[in-house]
């Protein structure tokens, strides 16, 4: 008997439901785990994982984790990764598994590819063509929140830890170090931020929360919360203050060796796995790593990058993972591995591992200008006071036991050893001050040397925030052993908004000042600058008694200003006299000059990056040229001033990182002064040649004698091109070739008015060129080299040998 239609439909429906249920249940078996390096246990990002015999599969994420739905268990999976031996593993249950992979003998092999035959080149060129479309962090407006976690620990060899014989051979201190790092890390930092960005460079990031093991006040490390990172699409990539040629750029296929290692399949799209390293015989600051290129827009899906050469100082390895967000590719996780090869705890080198997760990402959204106005990174006091409920809502995963013990153990050690106070003490020391209770000892006041005073010894103190944050009172005393004179002074600074500004400073000084010198008081010399050696050659100075007031404030993120007034009495004690016509046949000679002045100083750094913390604000190095301007007008009758005169000084400087050519430092310095002004208010052009002290001094004329030229208006250009280690680099011998070019022009309206000093007017231009080879020898952190410079043009000397200057060069060397 035939079934009624209703019953047939019911039976068919039940059969389909049973089939769907069977298929669905069979697809629910999931294999989960993490892929790690067999020797170091470091998670391996972006490992290709497929079922043996199948084409499609999955990929481990940036933390090495993976999950793959499979039809049934047991099942065999294949793991393949650039630089590692292919691994197959049988999974019999759905428990979490750790899969170790063994590093291949040669991580990135040298392959000879004939021109036009490398299939990777076509792929890389398409990535370069589409760079603006896919470089969303630089080319598109966006917002996101982030959670970051960084640990600092010891680099342990897991192979050694599993080798009982090697472990038994370790001494007790190494055993204790292993036990310590097995329980906790040395340092743990957590942070959360919210960031907004408008291309090309308007951005603002707010630190929502920050926590550092061992510190109740994490603001000292606030910069570690920033999610600002490199773009692999940029032509130059800066890692650890060094610039590298990106593998994605014009004609990079001529410099880098690209090898198509594998092709993966993700639905309708393919992913090309391409390794890269510099071609043999090519000398440039290069990276190495792996790129995963998705055919969906030929965008980078994953990136691994690290310097080709790892120095003995600090090195980095970077990983980036991208995903499709609102139809465009955008980073979703950023990993940073820091290697501190120069820091060891017992026999173990230190390393840092940072992971940043981006979420709540909005791309191509309208962002108001006021949202990105002001400092680039902002942190207030509330960020350091978040409770566990707040943190648990931010964390991608809950903290592991080792991380929880890090907070507990390091907090306890810090409190017992008073580590936070010591860190703040070191932070003050980095500014040139040693805090002793409510007083700071000024290191810059202890000892100096110049050609006028000889050795100058002294002491200086200022009150610090322990007394009050809103004011600072200071004073100093010094004595010069050549001029045999005492110097002293004091100052009071009022700070209504501590660390942010404005500030009002009043001061008194009885001291000496360079005659005809140029200075911008806010410009500080870097540790690796040799410009401070110039003071060895400064032997024309005036005794000065002055007092005044100065107001400083930040006008905008790019502009800072100083407005001041001063009473200044200068007296020359070494024979100079100013000859001033007083009538027909009458000339007044004077070596004393009393002025009352008003002054304005400006520092302009386009798009300067500011960091604002609860107790202070500071600027990060600008990638644009920085302009300094200082103008002074002396008004007769102001502060009993006896003269009317004026002077304007300007300086612009920048170091350019040139693609595959090294670093070009440029400084342009110039000024104009009242041509009837006495010598102290004119310009003694900076020369640094002396047979007694043949030392190279940057941003001076190496072949010009000190005090050789005087001008009332001038301009100088100083070019210094460093090739770094691009031309040659050995394991220990790492010379740095430097080309130096200096030029100057000037004029002097009334040379007859200046008596007692020898000089020449700077006319017709001054030109010199030189070659330095720095770092020929190393002594601690000091690099010693040699330089040869030659004087040319209309101001060259008659005898060729007199135009040549050979000097030693000294500089600070960081790293190996």
């Amino acid at each position: 008997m035939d079934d009624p239609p209703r019953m047939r439909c019911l039976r068919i429906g039940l059969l389909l439901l049973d089939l769907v249920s069977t298929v669905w249940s069979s697809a629910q078996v999931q294999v989960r785990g993490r892929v790690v390096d067999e020797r170091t246990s470091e998670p391996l990002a972006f490992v290709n994982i497929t079922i043996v015999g199948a084409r499609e599969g999955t990929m481990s994420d940036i933390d090495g984790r993976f999950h793959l739905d499979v039809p049934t268990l047991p099942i065999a999976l294949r793991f393949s990764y650039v630089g590692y031996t292919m691994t197959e593993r049988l999974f019999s249950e759905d428990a979490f598994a750790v899969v170790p992979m063994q590093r291949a003998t040669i991580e990135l092999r040298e392959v000879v590819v004939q021109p036009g035959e490398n299939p990777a080149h076509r792929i890389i060129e398409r990535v370069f063509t589409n760079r603006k479309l896919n470089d969303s962090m630089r080319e598109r407006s966006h917002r996101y929140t982030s959670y970051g976690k960084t640990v600092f620990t010891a680099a342990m060899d897991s192979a050694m830890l599993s080798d009982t014989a090697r472990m038994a051979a370790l001494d007790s201190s190494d055993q204790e170090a292993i036990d310590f790092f097995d329980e906790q890390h040395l340092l743990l930092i957590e942070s959360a931020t919210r960031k907004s960005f408008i291309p090309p460079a308007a951005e603002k990031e707010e630190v929502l929360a920050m926590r550092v093991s061992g510190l109740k006040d994490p603001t000292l490390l606030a910069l570690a919360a920033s999610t600002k990172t490199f773009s692999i699409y940029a032509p130059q990539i800066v890692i650890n203050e060094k610039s590298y040629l990106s593998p994605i750029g014009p004609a990079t296929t001529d410099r880098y060796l690209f090898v198509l290692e594998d092709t993966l399949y993700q639905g309708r799209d393919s992913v090309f796995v391409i390794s890269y390293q510099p071609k043999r015989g090519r000398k440039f600051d290069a990276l190495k790593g792996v790129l995963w290129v998705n055919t969906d827009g030929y965008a980078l899906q994953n990136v691994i990058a690290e310097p080709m050469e790892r120095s003995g100082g600090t090195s980095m390895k970077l990983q980036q993972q991208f995903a499709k967000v609102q139809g465009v590719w955008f980073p979703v996780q950023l990993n940073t591995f820091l290697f501190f090869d120069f820091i060891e705890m017992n026999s173990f080198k230190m390393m840092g591992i940072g992971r940043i997760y981006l979420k709540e990402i909005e791309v191509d959204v309208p962002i108001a200008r006021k949202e990105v106005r002001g400092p680039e990174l902002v942190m207030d006091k509330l960020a350091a006071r978040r409770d566990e409920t707040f943190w648990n809502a931010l964390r991608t995963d809950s903290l592991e036991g080792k991380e929880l013990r890090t907070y507990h153990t390091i907090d306890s050690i810090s409190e017992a050893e008073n580590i936070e106070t010591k860190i703040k003490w070191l932070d003050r020391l980095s500014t040139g001050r040693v805090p002793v209770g409510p007083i700071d000892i000024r290191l810059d006041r202890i000892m100096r040397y110049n050609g006028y005073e000889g050795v100058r010894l002294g002491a200086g103190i200022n009150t610090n925030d322990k007394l009050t944050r809103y004011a600072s009172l200071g004073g100093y005393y010094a004595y010069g052993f050549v001029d045999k004179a005492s110097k002293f002074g004091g100052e009071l600074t009022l700070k209504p908004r501590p660390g942010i500004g404005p500030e009002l400073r009043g001061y008194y000084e009885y001291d000496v000042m360079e005659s005809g010198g140029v200075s911008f008081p806010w410009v500080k010399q870097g540790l690796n600058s040799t410009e401070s050696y110039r003071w060895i050659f400064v032997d024309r100075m005036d005794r000065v008694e002055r007092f005044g007031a100065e107001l400083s404030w930040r006008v905008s993120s790019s502009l800072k200003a100083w407005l001041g007034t001063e009473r200044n009495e200068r007296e020359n004690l070494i024979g100079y006299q100013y000859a001033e016509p007083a009538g027909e046949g009458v000339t007044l000679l004077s070596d004393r000059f009393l002025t009352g002045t008003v002054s304005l100083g400006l520092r302009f750094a386009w798009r300067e990056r500011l960091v604002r913390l609860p107790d202070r604000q500071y600027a990060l190095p600008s990638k644009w040229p920085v302009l300094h301007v200082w103008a002074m007008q002396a008004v007769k009758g102001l502060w009993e001033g006896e003269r009317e005169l004026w002077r304007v000084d300007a300086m612009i400087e920048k170091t350019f990182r040139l693609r595959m050519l090294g670093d070009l430092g440029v400084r342009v310095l110039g000024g104009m002064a009242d041509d009837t002004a006495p010598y102290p208010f004119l310009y003694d052009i900076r020369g640094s040649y002396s047979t007694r002290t043949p030392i190279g001094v940057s941003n001076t004329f190496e072949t010009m004698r000190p005090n050789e030229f005087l001008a009332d208006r001038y301009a100088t250009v100083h070019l210094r091109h460093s090739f770094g280690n691009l031309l040659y680099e050995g394991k220990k011998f790492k010379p740095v070739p430097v080309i130096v070019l200096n030029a100057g022009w000037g004029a002097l309206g009334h040379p007859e008015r200046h008596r007692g000093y020898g000089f020449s007017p700077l006319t017709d231009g001054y030109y010199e060129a030189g070659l330095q080879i720095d770092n020929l020898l190393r002594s601690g952190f000091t690099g010693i080299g040699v330089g040869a410079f030659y004087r040319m043009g209309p101001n060259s000397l008659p005898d060729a040998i007199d135009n040549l200057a050979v000097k030693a060069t000294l500089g600070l060397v960081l790293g190996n």
Side-chain angles (χ1 to χ4, degrees), residues 506-519:
Y507 58 90
Y508 171 84
E509 290 182 2
Y510 185 84
D511 211 318
V512 293
M513 292 182 68
E514 181 182 4
S515 192
V518 176
S519 69

Side-chain angles (χ1 to χ4, degrees), residues 674-718:
D674 190 331
D675 62 1
T676 63
Y679 188 105
F681 306 99
L682 302 183
Y683 301 102
D684 186 341
I685 307 302
R686 296 179 173 185
S688 60
Y689 175 76
S690 170
T691 55
R692 292 184 303 171
T693 316
I695 296 177
V697 183
S698 58
N699 298 314
T700 67
F701 289 93
E702 305 280 7
T703 61
M704 183 187 293
R705 280 63 178 167
N707 313 311
E708 185 176 353
F709 291 99
L710 182 68
D712 55 45
R713 61 204 62 206
Y714 81 105
T716 61
V717 178
H718 302 280

Side-chain angles (χ1 to χ4, degrees), residues 18-269:
D18 182 60
L19 288 171
V20 170
S21 176
T22 302
V23 172
W24 178 264
S25 62
S26 67
Q28 290 308 293
V29 181
Q30 189 177 78
V31 177
R32 301 173 298 117
R34 171 172 282 172
V35 190
V36 300
D37 183 288
E38 182 182 60
R39 185 175 61 84
T40 66
S41 295
E42 173 189 331
L44 296 180
F46 320 132
V47 175
N48 184 36
I49 305 165
T50 58
I51 299 171
V52 174
R55 190 175 77 162
E56 294 190 21
T58 188
M59 189 183 298
S60 66
D61 68 12
I62 200 168
D63 294 321
R65 294 172 298 201
F66 69 91
H67 59 84
L68 179 65
D69 293 332
V70 297
T72 185
L73 293 176
I75 196 165
L77 299 184
R78 176 178 290 124
F79 297 80
S80 61
Y81 194 53
V82 178
Y84 285 76
T85 303
M86 185 180 295
T87 299
E88 291 187 5
R89 175 160 177 166
L90 183 67
F91 289 80
S92 301
E93 54 185 358
D94 61 357
F96 189 88
V98 176
V99 180
M101 293 190 71
Q102 187 176 35
R103 194 180 294 268
T105 306
I106 301 176
E107 187 171 341
L108 289 175
R109 64 189 182 276
E110 176 69 53
V111 178
V112 178
V113 180
Q114 297 300 322
E117 295 184 1
N118 189 343
H121 285 187
R122 176 180 54 84
I123 299 168
I124 293 299
E125 287 164 1
R126 291 195 64 175
V127 173
F128 176 69
T129 300
N130 291 356
R131 66 193 185 282
K132 290 190 176 182
L133 180 66
N134 295 317
D135 190 4
S136 300
M137 284 202 95
R138 293 198 308 161
E139 302 291 340
R140 300 175 184 271
S141 63
H142 59 261
R143 290 191 197 94
Y144 60 75
T145 57
S146 74
Y147 167 73
K149 179 169 63 177
T150 302
V151 299
F152 291 87
T153 188
M156 295 287 182
D157 187 341
S158 60
M160 180 196 71
L161 298 179
S162 60
D163 189 329
T164 55
R166 292 174 63 187
M167 289 290 290
L170 296 176
D171 61 30
S172 58
S173 61
D174 283 343
Q175 289 281 2
E176 291 174 1
I178 290 173
D179 292 340
F180 176 87
F181 286 111
D182 186 52
E183 289 294 314
Q184 65 272 305
H185 303 293
L186 184 63
L187 183 68
L188 171 60
I189 302 173
E190 288 186 283
S191 62
T193 69
R194 180 189 297 116
K195 184 169 183 175
S196 302
F197 176 84
I198 302 175
E203 58 186 307
K204 189 168 188 175
E205 188 162 17
E206 179 187 0
V207 180
L208 304 175
M210 191 167 187
R211 186 178 180 185
V212 180
S213 60
L215 298 182
K216 295 178 181 178
D217 178 12
T219 57
L220 290 174
L221 300 176
L223 202 58
S226 172
T227 60
K228 194 177 186 73
T229 185
F230 76 95
S231 170
I232 195 68
Y233 294 101
Q236 295 285 117
I237 296 174
V238 179
I239 299 177
N240 196 29
E241 299 301 318
K242 190 172 181 179
S243 183
Y244 297 89
L245 178 66
S246 170
I248 306 300
T252 53
T253 52
D254 293 335
R255 295 275 177 171
Y256 279 104
L257 170 66
F258 295 97
V259 178
L260 181 58
E261 302 281 356
D262 203 351
T263 301
L264 317 178
Y265 301 95
Q266 295 181 352
R268 293 181 301 173
D269 301 315

